Amino acid sequence: MYIQISRLILVAVLILSTFPIANSQATATPQPQRRRIVGSSSSSPTQDQKPAVSQSEPDADIVRVETNLVNTLFTAVDKDRHFITSLRAEDIRIFENDVPQPVSIFERETDRPLSLAILIDTSESQVGVLADEKRAALAFVDQVIRPDVDQAAIISFTGEPKIEQALTNDLAKLHRAIERVTRGLSAQNQYRQANDLEPLSKEEDSTGYTGIWDAMWETIDNHVSHAPENTRRAVILLSDGDDTSSTIKRQNVIDMAVKTNVVVYSIGIRDEEFPEGKLDSGALKKVSDHTGGRAFFPKLPEELKLAFAQIDQELRSQYLVGYSPTNAAHDGSYRRIRIEILNPELRKGKVRLLYREGYYARKD
């Protein structure tokens, strides 16, 4: 009798186990996935920032808000090269590919952090002026770089660039880097020069050559373009502009600078007693004009110091203008920018505006 009852209980347990048991987690209503809003500036010439997707939400949808805002900085100077700091939004008009654009932002920029690279040519055409360049660069660093805000890099070059100091806000490191800069010609090529022999090939010894555009590409691509996007990025080039060995074209450097929002200031200088080569003012002016900078051609040490002082003033006396382009296509095309003076009094005073001449639209 006992065995029969046990068998009946076992059968009952097996039958009940085939039915589902109510569970609060199994029957709960599924929660919808959260949607995050990620802003992006589709027409800004600066590099796009990739939104970080939370690892806890691998399948979350991302909705992009396209602001399409193009920002550009410009400087206003009168006929005597004095900076004008009292412009208003109604004093100017901006064009993209000759089409007027509605201005969304207009403000004076005075305290934007700076990210600068001083790029020093140490080839033989610079030997006689190198000491003056170093003194002016030291004074510029002391006057301009605010250790808690700005940063600078020091790079020298002959046929190849040499990183004396990467971007830093440490004034002592910048001082030591500038003081380290010396004549770039190697002992081997110095011997060959003294004996009227041709320099070694660039593959054997690059110090007998001048690769301005290669050095500038390195400076922008690996240093200045990686500075925070809210900083004013600039390269100050000290050279005669006489390139003898670059593999990268000057126009490629200009395009790189425009795409990464880097302005180039050129200081055209050379040892007048050096018999070979020339001062290529046209090349220096082109790279500066197309990136929104300016070229200087000092002949005396005092004029060199003045050039650095004017660059300092210009970096601190700028305006920011922003607009949403009427051409909203994300086609990666180059768009020409033109800013003109509307105020008749300012036009009469021959006010000149300095700015980059275009940008590359974002490409989807």
Side-chain angles (χ1 to χ4, degrees):
M1 183 69 177
Y2 174 77
I3 294 173
Q4 290 178 344
I5 293 172
S6 298
R7 288 177 176 174
L8 289 171
I9 293 172
L10 180 60
V11 171
V13 170
L14 290 172
I15 293 171
L16 289 172
S17 67
T18 62
F19 290 93
I21 298 174
N23 186 298
S24 60
Q25 291 181 344
T27 58
T29 303
Q31 294 298 313
Q33 291 179 330
R34 286 181 289 172
R35 295 164 64 85
R36 297 182 297 119
I37 306 297
V38 180
S40 66
S41 180
S42 65
S43 291
S44 174
T46 56
Q47 295 175 330
D48 298 327
Q49 290 184 337
K50 295 181 180 179
V53 179
S54 172
Q55 293 182 353
S56 62
E57 299 175 349
D59 298 323
D61 293 330
I62 297 176
V63 179
R64 294 187 179 274
V65 178
E66 306 294 349
T67 61
N68 290 324
L69 194 65
V70 175
N71 294 326
T72 193
L73 292 163
F74 72 91
T75 305
V77 293
D78 63 20
K79 60 183 179 180
D80 298 317
R81 306 296 296 185
H82 296 143
F83 293 99
I84 297 173
T85 59
S86 57
L87 289 185
R88 302 165 299 170
E90 54 266 31
D91 292 331
I92 66 154
R93 181 166 55 185
I94 191 165
F95 297 82
E96 180 178 294
N97 289 346
D98 296 324
V99 177
Q101 303 295 314
V103 173
S104 306
I105 298 173
F106 183 92
E107 58 189 32
R108 188 182 170 204
E109 289 268 334
T110 56
D111 293 319
R112 177 177 286 223
L114 304 177
S115 295
L116 310 174
I118 300 178
L119 184 58
I120 305 173
D121 184 346
T122 58
S123 60
E124 289 302 283
S125 64
Q126 305 297 303
V127 170
V129 294
L130 188 57
D132 291 331
E133 291 176 348
K134 291 170 66 173
R135 280 191 291 270
L138 285 167
F140 178 80
V141 164
D142 285 340
Q143 180 176 341
V144 174
I145 301 301
R146 301 164 293 180
D148 56 336
V149 178
D150 307 318
Q151 56 182 345
I154 309 297
I155 300 171
S156 63
F157 69 95
T158 51
E160 293 181 357
K162 179 183 178 183
I163 313 305
E164 306 286 355
Q165 174 61 56
L167 283 170
T168 182
N169 60 1
D170 189 323
L171 291 180
K173 288 183 178 180
L174 292 171
H175 269 253
R176 289 194 294 269
I178 294 171
E179 289 164 356
R180 275 197 304 271
V181 173
T182 187
R183 180 185 184 184
L185 200 65
S186 68
Q188 279 185 305
N189 272 329
Q190 287 185 44
Y191 172 81
R192 298 181 73 84
Q193 183 189 67
N195 290 276
D196 294 326
L197 299 173
E198 288 293 321
L200 296 170
S201 69
K202 185 181 178 182
E203 290 70 29
E204 295 174 300
D205 187 340
S206 66
T207 65
Y209 300 85
T210 307
I212 301 170
W213 314 124
D214 286 354
M216 186 168 289
W217 181 278
E218 158 79 18
T219 300
I220 295 173
D221 189 37
N222 293 332
H223 298 277
V224 183
S225 67
H226 296 289
E229 291 191 4
N230 68 322
T231 65
R232 179 64 165 144
R233 301 168 175 173
V235 174
I236 301 172
L237 169 66
L238 292 111
S239 176
D240 58 11
D242 189 16
D243 190 291
T244 62
S245 66
S246 285
T247 58
I248 296 173
K249 302 294 185 184
R250 182 182 62 210
Q251 187 58 50
N252 295 134
V253 171
I254 292 172
D255 292 342
M256 159 82 76
V258 170
K259 288 179 180 178
T260 55
N261 211 16
V262 175
V263 62
V264 178
Y265 292 95
S266 301
I267 299 180
I269 188 170
R270 68 180 271 119
D271 184 353
E272 293 184 354
E273 297 182 2
F274 188 70
E276 300 173 12
K278 62 179 180 178
L279 175 63
D280 193 343
S281 57
L284 297 176
K285 281 181 60 66
K286 184 173 182 179
V287 73
S288 292
D289 289 347
H290 284 286
T291 60
R294 195 144 58 95
F296 303 84
F297 300 97
K299 295 183 178 179
L300 300 172
E302 295 75 18
E303 294 176 348
L304 177 59
K305 292 179 183 178
L306 180 60
F308 271 108
Q310 289 180 313
I311 293 171
D312 174 24
Q313 285 185 308
E314 190 160 315
L315 289 169
R316 306 292 186 193
S317 304
Q318 296 175 327
Y319 296 89
L320 172 69
V321 61
Y323 65 93
S324 294
T326 53
N327 178 3
H330 299 165
D331 54 9
S333 64
Y334 180 76
R335 315 280 181 84
R336 288 177 291 104
I337 291 177
R338 176 165 55 90
I339 309 175
E340 67 175 29
I341 294 287
L342 289 179
N343 187 312
E345 291 299 317
L346 295 173
R347 291 170 68 96
K348 189 184 300 182
K350 297 182 179 179
V351 171
R352 183 186 173 200
L353 303 182
L354 307 173
Y355 53 89
R356 60 182 177 143
E357 299 178 347
Y359 75 99
Y360 285 89
R362 180 186 173 198
K363 188 174 182 179
D364 286 336

